[in-house]
């Protein structure tokens, strides 16, 4: 099958999922065309059956604001025509799904039409989707797609609730490649980061306010009242400066390591004992799944789709959003009870493989593509 993939190429779970999906589809013999404004980060190596088409936004003096959405639609038409796309898979409703819809209506004069599959990832519904002026466009993009998926039950329900639509939505969860996300021996990690792999917490995100990165520092502060503990923060974004300031105010400079954006995630995750995800909004929590696959239990908030990934009392602990004391207590239970820790750690690996293995999830997408392609 010839498949076009539209995604955000920068850091962020939706781009990661889209890229790993494309790579896996290409391995299975499909031809995959990534259409976006920059090379997706996880597309670092050459791979057979994968093509990248860069969207360039033309600059005309008359236009004060150049439209990426239109440029993307034009590029999709071009690729659809020459690569004879069967399916265009849009990750994130705005602008990808809208641009695919527009392109599909433009393409019929020059080529065969393709089928549009839209995958909803989270804030495209929970933030952008409730924005008054954008809501009708998000709704249109969903209603006009040939198939729509959401990464969790929670997100499917939110979509129905926020948009008042009755379009069928399949839940296809995010996935993990357990051969890539697996625990790296502590000895190796120790050399890289100088930790002893004990009493180290880790958080990985884009440091947007919804991630509540400051909570991770407050949790560390509370845990340290009982146990000498360190925190590794991976990623960057709007709350990085606030997080650094809070660290200094609390006198934790020696105990918090700000690493910025990093790609060696399995090594980094393996250098820690507990993953923190205290988010205020999270449709799935791909970063938690990546940690679980590396045998790292999760302590986080019981909001959104997190509980569909982390099972409270089995592979992690979930507490009400913002409940620093409860999360700190859960961290301490894990750090202080070796037997409990080992059980949670094994459960985390086992559950991530059984429920979110890349092979089974990619097959779900292939089945969906076959279904839409056969539709009249
Ligand atoms: O909107 C975001 O926060 C970014 C978005 C992304 O592109 O990474 O994250 C969403 O999609 C991820 C992949 O499906 C999910 O794992 C995240 O939970 C989700 N973020 C939110 O819902 C806040």
């Amino acid at each position: 099958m010839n498949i076009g993939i539209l995604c955000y190429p920068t850091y962020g779970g939706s781009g990661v999922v889209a890229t790993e999906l494309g790579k896996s589809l290409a391995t299975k013999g499909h031809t995959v065309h990534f259409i976006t404004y920059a090379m997706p980060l996880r597309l670092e190596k050459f791979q057979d059956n994968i093509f990248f088409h860069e969207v360039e936004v033309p600059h005309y003096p008359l236009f004060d604001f150049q439209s990426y959405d239109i440029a993307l639609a034009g590029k999709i038409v071009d690729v659809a025509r020459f690569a004879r796309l069967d399916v265009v898979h849009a990750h994130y409703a705005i602008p990808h799904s809208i641009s695919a819809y527009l392109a599909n209506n433009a393409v019929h004069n020059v080529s065969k039409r393709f089928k549009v599959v839209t995958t909803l990832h989270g804030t495209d519904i929970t933030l952008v989707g409730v924005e008054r002026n954008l809501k009708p466009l998000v709704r249109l993009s969903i209603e006009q797609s040939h198939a729509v998926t959401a990464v969790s039950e929670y997100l499917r329900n939110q979509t129905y609730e926020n948009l008042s639509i009755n379009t069928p939505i399949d839940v296809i969860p995010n996935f993990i490649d357990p051969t890539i996300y697996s625990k790296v021996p502590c000895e190796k990690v120790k050399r890289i980061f100088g930790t002893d792999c004990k009493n180290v917490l880790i958080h990985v995100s884009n440091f947007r306010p919804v991630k509540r990165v400051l909570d991770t520092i407050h949790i560390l502060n509370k845990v340290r009242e009982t146990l000498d503990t360190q925190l590794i923060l991976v990623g960057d974004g709007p709350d990085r400066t606030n997080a650094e300031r809070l660290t200094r105010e609390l006198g934790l400079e020696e105990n918090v390591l700000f690493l910025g954006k990093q790609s060696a995630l399995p090594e980094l995750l393996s250098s820690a004992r507990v993953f923190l995800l205290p988010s205020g909004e999270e449709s799935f929590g791909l970063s938690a799944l990546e940690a679980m696959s590396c045998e790292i239990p999760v302590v986080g908030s019981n909001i959104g789709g997190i509980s569909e990934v982390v099972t409270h009392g089995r592979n992690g602990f979930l507490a009400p959003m913002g409940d620093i004391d409860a999360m700190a207590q859960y961290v301490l239970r894990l750090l202080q009870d070796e037997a409990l820790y080992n059980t949670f750690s094994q459960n985390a690996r086992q559950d991530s493989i059984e429920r979110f293995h890349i092979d089974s999830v990619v097959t779900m997408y292939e089945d969906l593509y076959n279904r839409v392609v056969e539709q009249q």
Side-chain angles (χ1 to χ4, degrees):
M1 201 176 284
N2 298 322
I3 301 157
I5 292 187
L6 319 178
C7 64
Y8 287 112
T10 48
Y11 284 86
S14 63
V16 168
V17 169
T19 312
E20 296 298 346
L21 171 63
K23 282 157 63 175
S24 178
L25 290 166
T27 311
K28 294 175 110 177
H30 300 284
T31 304
V32 177
H33 296 264
F34 284 93
I35 311 170
T36 181
Y37 60 86
M39 173 81 97
L41 281 177
R42 297 267 181 113
L43 212 58
E44 64 288 342
K45 289 194 195 117
F46 172 75
Q47 194 182 321
D48 270 351
N49 299 336
I50 290 189
F51 300 87
F52 167 55
H53 307 265
E54 187 169 328
V55 179
E56 280 178 55
V57 182
H59 289 270
Y60 297 115
L62 181 65
F63 299 167
D64 278 343
F65 302 101
Q66 318 294 336
S67 167
Y68 177 68
D69 318 12
I70 302 285
L72 173 61
K75 194 69 171 178
I76 298 169
V77 172
D78 190 48
V79 177
R81 187 175 174 191
F82 292 105
R84 305 203 61 75
L85 296 179
D86 301 296
V87 168
V88 169
H89 190 167
H91 289 261
Y92 214 87
I94 295 275
H96 303 130
S97 185
I98 281 286
S99 297
Y101 167 68
L102 188 58
N104 208 20
N105 282 280
V107 82
H108 74 280
N109 284 330
V110 288
S111 174
K112 67 162 188 154
R113 285 197 171 181
F114 48 81
K115 295 290 166 47
V116 178
V117 173
T118 296
T119 289
L120 305 171
H121 279 273
T123 44
D124 42 357
I125 294 301
T126 55
L127 292 182
V128 182
V130 291
E131 183 89 27
R132 206 160 144 239
N133 293 341
L134 295 178
K135 197 171 181 168
L137 295 174
V138 176
R139 189 185 286 128
L140 175 78
S141 74
I142 291 174
E143 288 178 336
Q144 293 300 322
S145 295
H146 298 91
V148 181
T149 78
V151 296
S152 62
E153 292 283 347
Y154 161 78
L155 185 58
R156 171 163 64 184
N157 294 337
Q158 283 297 112
T159 308
Y160 286 137
E161 208 170 287
N162 292 356
L163 299 178
S164 314
I165 50 168
N166 52 18
T167 309
I169 300 176
D170 290 87
V171 173
I172 301 187
N174 290 330
F175 52 84
I176 192 81
D177 183 340
T179 60
I180 296 173
Y181 281 87
S182 67
K183 196 163 182 63
V184 176
C186 182
E187 277 314 304
K188 184 172 173 206
V189 170
K190 213 164 149 181
R191 281 204 310 277
I192 303 171
F193 301 108
T195 71
D196 61 0
C197 304
K198 273 205 165 128
N199 302 347
V200 177
L201 316 179
I202 190 165
H203 168 80
V204 183
S205 79
N206 50 19
F207 282 52
R208 288 165 55 199
V210 286
K211 302 292 175 182
R212 298 181 67 96
V213 179
L214 302 192
D215 282 8
T216 67
I217 296 161
H218 286 300
I219 293 168
L220 173 77
N221 200 33
K222 191 79 198 162
V223 169
R224 283 182 56 79
E225 289 174 9
T226 309
L227 206 62
D228 184 19
T229 306
Q230 320 296 319
L231 170 65
I232 299 177
L233 290 174
V234 181
D236 214 327
D239 266 348
R240 164 101 180 244
T241 310
N242 290 336
E244 291 190 5
R245 191 177 301 138
L246 178 65
T247 301
R248 286 194 293 272
E249 278 168 15
L250 295 174
L252 293 172
E253 298 95 317
E254 299 298 313
N255 310 106
V256 183
L257 192 57
F258 285 89
L259 290 179
K261 291 175 181 169
Q262 298 283 336
S263 52
L265 288 180
E267 283 92 339
L268 282 162
L269 291 166
S270 301
S271 71
R273 296 273 283 175
V274 177
F275 186 87
L276 298 178
L277 192 63
S279 309
E281 178 62 56
E282 203 71 71
S283 67
F284 185 89
L286 182 63
S287 55
L289 177 59
E290 291 173 341
M292 285 165 58
S293 187
C294 294
E295 302 173 33
I296 310 299
V298 177
V299 170
S301 45
N302 57 8
I303 53 91
I306 296 182
S307 60
E308 293 175 48
V309 183
V310 179
T311 308
H312 178 76
R314 184 182 153 78
N315 50 34
F317 287 117
L318 302 178
M321 178 188 71
D323 193 339
I324 305 294
D325 287 351
M327 290 188 208
Q329 285 311 314
Y330 284 138
V331 168
L332 282 168
R333 268 181 75 182
L334 285 166
L335 294 182
Q336 292 180 313
D337 184 339
E338 192 72 24
L340 178 87
Y341 185 87
N342 290 340
T343 306
F344 273 48
S345 166
Q346 283 163 18
N347 290 345
R349 173 78 179 168
Q350 187 185 327
D351 295 348
S352 63
I353 292 174
E354 277 177 15
R355 299 179 54 216
F356 304 106
H357 197 292
I358 184 169
D359 292 348
S360 44
V361 177
V362 170
T363 304
M364 291 164 88
Y365 279 117
E366 280 182 295
D367 292 346
L368 184 77
Y369 297 159
N370 286 326
R371 196 175 88 205
V372 292
V373 164
E374 281 161 18
Q375 275 169 17
Q376 287 310 306

